[in-house]
């Protein structure tokens, strides 16, 4: 019996310590704040700042960002690092718009006589080529970048 008494004292003492850890009795702990969901952010059209001025960034007809290499639609973005998309697929007779989002004025010229040729496009400005049926062409910017437009590979809207 002597061996049993110290063991019972140890077990009962541990139970007393554990009972003070929470659950029953008074609580002095912190309360969990109620969950308050944040409202969804409003969708803002994409913009970019060039030389201290904010410009609207064109998107695809579905509102997505224009891809860097292959994309479809009617928008081309000129940047300081190249043109987006490099390879544009467009429906026949659809106007194509180049937007200059580089840091300096540029112009567009085609390697073919029937392709587009622009005057100087200012920073933030656009050039619209009206389209010409089933015409595919390679063009270049005055800053040395090239791109491809393939017209007529998509169904007309």
């Amino acid at each position: 019996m002597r061996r049993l008494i110290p063991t019972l004292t140890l077990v009962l003492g541990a139970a007393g310590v554990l009972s003070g850890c929470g659950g029953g009795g008074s609580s002095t702990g912190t309360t969990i704040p109620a969950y308050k969901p944040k409202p969804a952010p409003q969708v803002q059209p994409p913009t970019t700042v060039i030389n201290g001025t904010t410009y609207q960034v064109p998107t695809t007809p579905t509102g997505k960002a224009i891809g860097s290499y292959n994309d479809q639609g009617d928008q081309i973005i000129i940047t300081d690092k190249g043109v987006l998309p490099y390879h544009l697929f467009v429906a026949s007779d659809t106007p194509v718009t180049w937007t200059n989002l580089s840091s300096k004025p540029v112009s567009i010229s085609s390697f073919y006589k029937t392709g587009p040729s622009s005057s100087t496009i200012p920073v933030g400005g656009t050039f619209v080529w009206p389209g010409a049926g089933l015409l595919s062409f390679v063009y270049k910017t005055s800053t040395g970048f090239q791109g491809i437009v393939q017209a007529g590979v998509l169904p007309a809207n």
Side-chain angles (χ1 to χ4, degrees):
M1 189 66 137
R2 272 183 143 163
R3 291 181 122 195
L4 191 56
I5 292 177
T7 305
L8 284 174
T9 305
L10 178 63
V11 170
L12 293 175
V17 170
L18 290 176
S19 68
C21 288
S26 65
S27 173
T28 58
T30 59
T31 58
I32 298 174
Y35 174 72
K36 295 179 184 177
K38 293 181 181 178
Q42 290 184 323
V43 176
Q44 299 293 325
T47 59
T48 188
V49 177
I50 303 168
N51 299 331
T53 304
T54 301
Y55 297 98
Q56 187 78 22
V57 176
T59 59
T60 66
T62 59
K64 294 181 182 176
I66 294 174
S68 61
Y69 190 77
N70 289 322
D71 210 341
Q72 61 187 25
D74 59 0
Q75 298 284 332
I76 297 172
I77 301 172
I78 305 165
T79 71
D80 286 328
K81 295 185 178 187
V83 294
L84 305 171
Y86 168 76
H87 195 169
L88 177 70
F89 298 97
V90 63
S92 65
D93 296 319
T94 300
V96 176
T97 302
W98 281 262
T99 302
N100 181 10
L101 296 181
S102 71
S103 60
K104 55 188 157 195
V106 300
S107 61
I108 300 294
S109 61
S110 174
F111 286 99
Y112 309 105
K113 293 178 186 177
T114 55
S117 180
S118 76
S119 58
T120 301
I121 308 167
V123 174
T126 60
F127 165 68
V128 179
W129 180 67
L134 300 173
L135 179 66
S136 296
F137 57 87
V138 177
Y139 67 91
K140 64 180 176 178
T141 67
S142 58
T143 51
F145 298 113
Q146 293 183 9
I148 302 169
V149 174
Q150 280 193 274
V153 295
L154 297 176
N157 293 334

